[in-house]
Amino acid sequence: MLTPLMEVKSLYLHYITRKGVVKAVDNINFNLNKGETISLVGESGCGKSSLARAIMRLLPKNIAKYEGNIFINGMDIMSLKDEDFKRRVRWKKVSIVFQGAMDSLNPLLKVGEQVAEPLMIHEGIPEKDAVERAGELLSLVGISRSFIDRYPFELSGGMQQRVLIAMALITRPEIVILDEPTSALDVITQANIMNILKDIKSELELSYIFITHDIALSTELSDRIAIMYAGKIVELTSLEAFLSDPLHPYAKLLLASVPTLRSTKKLSYIPGAPPSLLDPPLGCRFHPRCPHAKDICRKKEPPEVEVSKLHTVKCWLFAQDSEGVA
């Protein structure tokens, strides 16, 4: 059996605030294979972006708990000191494309300099050579090399997002995290960006972790879907299994809320609101909104159940507790 490119085991990232501890990433487990895309799907505030920051070790100062294991090609990157992590992992093995290009690009630096910067910092390549390489990457993402000398405000939103993609690829990492890279773009530009991401994935043999709240968009890239709710992954399965027969009640309701062109299905919705991660519900965190909640759901957190080789779910509908209650 092939070793996964990335393995995430028992990963936690909690923040300390004036109101208490925010359990943004709470015992997350998954793996990512070479050339594969996993989409992290869930409502805003469920911890998707915090999971990306935990993997990249881009952490704020108010950390209450940050622990677990992240293996890339068998190396536990969580065991590395910060300087080793910056030198050996960040942008070398895994990079990230943030949402909101104008929040990520420096308005005072030319595009070519910003794309080239990771090469100069992480690989010590001279600026002239790095900028030349930046021009090649800009061409790869569909931007003319002549844009090297332009500033971010001279580019459209779609072109700015392509610049961020070029920055993430400049050091040839194996894994790219895409944190809602099309969230601020119009539909046509979204489609163009998604096509570019698909082409680049095939050409460079990349693996993606695609973070989104848009289920329809996730189907463009995904091999597998991870449904995230209140800091936890509640279902992980193939794209085909998710679209045909999701198991977790939250996953079912998410899919039922998506309109389709070739169906007259009645759209559904999820009652209530996501829980506060300051004080998440006991037991299953979805039970206050779940139409199938039972007494055990309110008391005990469900275990992860392996339904099949590529399908796991955390739900008492598919589990049995130590007393035989299912």
Side-chain angles (χ1 to χ4, degrees):
M1 184 175 179
L2 294 176
T3 301
L5 176 60
M6 172 186 281
E7 294 180 272
V8 176
K9 297 183 178 181
S10 302
L11 185 62
Y12 292 83
L13 177 57
H14 296 176
Y15 307 116
I16 184 70
T17 70
R18 292 179 180 178
K19 294 183 178 181
V21 175
V22 176
K23 299 174 182 178
V25 176
D26 208 33
N27 194 18
I28 292 291
N29 298 272
F30 71 93
N31 59 55
L32 178 70
N33 298 312
K34 187 174 180 61
E36 182 183 41
T37 297
I38 286 183
S39 287
L40 284 171
V41 179
E43 293 165 289
S44 296
C46 70
K48 303 185 301 295
S49 293
S50 287
L51 176 55
R53 291 184 173 276
I55 293 171
M56 293 294 297
R57 206 183 290 187
L58 296 171
L59 307 173
K61 295 180 180 179
N62 61 325
I63 297 299
K65 182 177 183 179
Y66 176 53
E67 62 184 47
N69 301 100
I70 303 173
F71 298 92
I72 297 181
N73 288 322
M75 177 179 68
D76 187 0
I77 64 174
M78 290 286 283
S79 67
L80 298 177
K81 295 182 178 179
D82 286 344
E83 285 304 314
D84 285 340
F85 185 90
K86 293 176 186 177
R87 179 173 54 86
R88 299 173 60 185
V89 178
R90 187 184 298 151
W91 242 258
K92 295 279 287 183
K93 294 186 179 297
V94 57
S95 63
I96 186 168
V97 178
F98 292 105
Q99 58 180 307
M102 280 306 292
D103 294 331
S104 302
L105 296 172
N106 188 329
L108 303 178
L109 293 179
K110 294 178 179 178
V111 165
E113 296 174 23
Q114 297 190 60
V115 176
E117 187 176 48
L119 278 181
M120 294 184 283
I121 292 176
H122 295 282
E123 298 187 8
I125 294 177
E127 182 177 356
K128 182 180 178 180
D129 296 335
V131 171
E132 176 65 24
R133 171 67 180 146
E136 297 174 9
L137 261 296
L138 289 176
S139 297
L140 183 65
V141 298
I143 298 179
S144 170
R145 296 170 72 107
S146 63
F147 279 64
I148 281 177
D149 293 322
R150 296 199 184 186
Y151 290 92
F153 62 84
E154 298 180 272
L155 278 61
S156 67
M159 295 178 78
Q160 291 170 2
Q161 203 64 44
R162 295 182 194 204
V163 169
L164 288 187
I165 295 170
M167 290 173 64
L169 299 175
I170 192 71
T171 54
R172 297 295 180 107
E174 295 178 88
I175 302 167
V176 178
I177 300 174
L178 304 167
D179 189 2
E180 301 198 36
T182 63
S183 61
L185 305 176
D186 62 79
V187 175
I188 300 300
T189 307
Q190 276 189 3
N192 290 334
I193 295 294
M194 295 301 288
N195 286 334
I196 286 171
L197 290 171
K198 284 187 279 189
D199 292 341
I200 290 173
K201 177 189 175 185
S202 176
E203 184 173 340
L204 302 182
E205 297 183 337
L206 295 172
S207 298
Y208 288 149
I209 298 175
F210 181 40
I211 295 172
T212 183
H213 60 267
D214 188 330
I215 292 177
L217 197 64
S218 72
T219 62
E220 293 288 317
L221 277 175
S222 303
D223 298 297
R224 287 191 289 157
I225 297 278
I227 303 299
M228 196 163 178
Y229 186 81
K232 295 181 178 291
I233 291 178
V234 296
E235 185 166 0
L236 176 59
T237 187
S238 67
L239 175 63
E240 293 78 9
F242 171 73
L243 293 177
S244 62
D245 188 25
L247 298 181
H248 196 280
Y250 177 62
K252 284 181 177 291
L253 288 170
L254 275 183
L255 189 60
S257 69
V258 179
T260 58
L261 293 176
R262 299 177 180 86
S263 172
T264 57
K265 75 173 185 180
K266 183 178 179 181
L267 293 181
S268 184
Y269 68 97
I270 305 174
S276 168
L277 295 181
L278 283 165
D279 186 24
L282 293 175
C284 172
R285 293 183 178 182
F286 186 60
H287 84 255
R289 307 170 73 188
C290 181
H292 306 290
K294 301 181 290 185
D295 189 51
I296 192 173
C297 303
R298 301 174 179 89
K299 298 177 180 178
K300 298 178 68 174
E301 181 178 342
E304 183 175 273
V305 179
E306 187 175 300
V307 180
S308 66
K309 186 176 181 181
L310 296 176
H311 197 162
T312 59
V313 61
K314 287 186 175 181
C315 179
W316 281 114
L317 294 174
F318 305 93
Q320 194 174 67
D321 77 350
S322 58
E323 298 176 356
V325 180

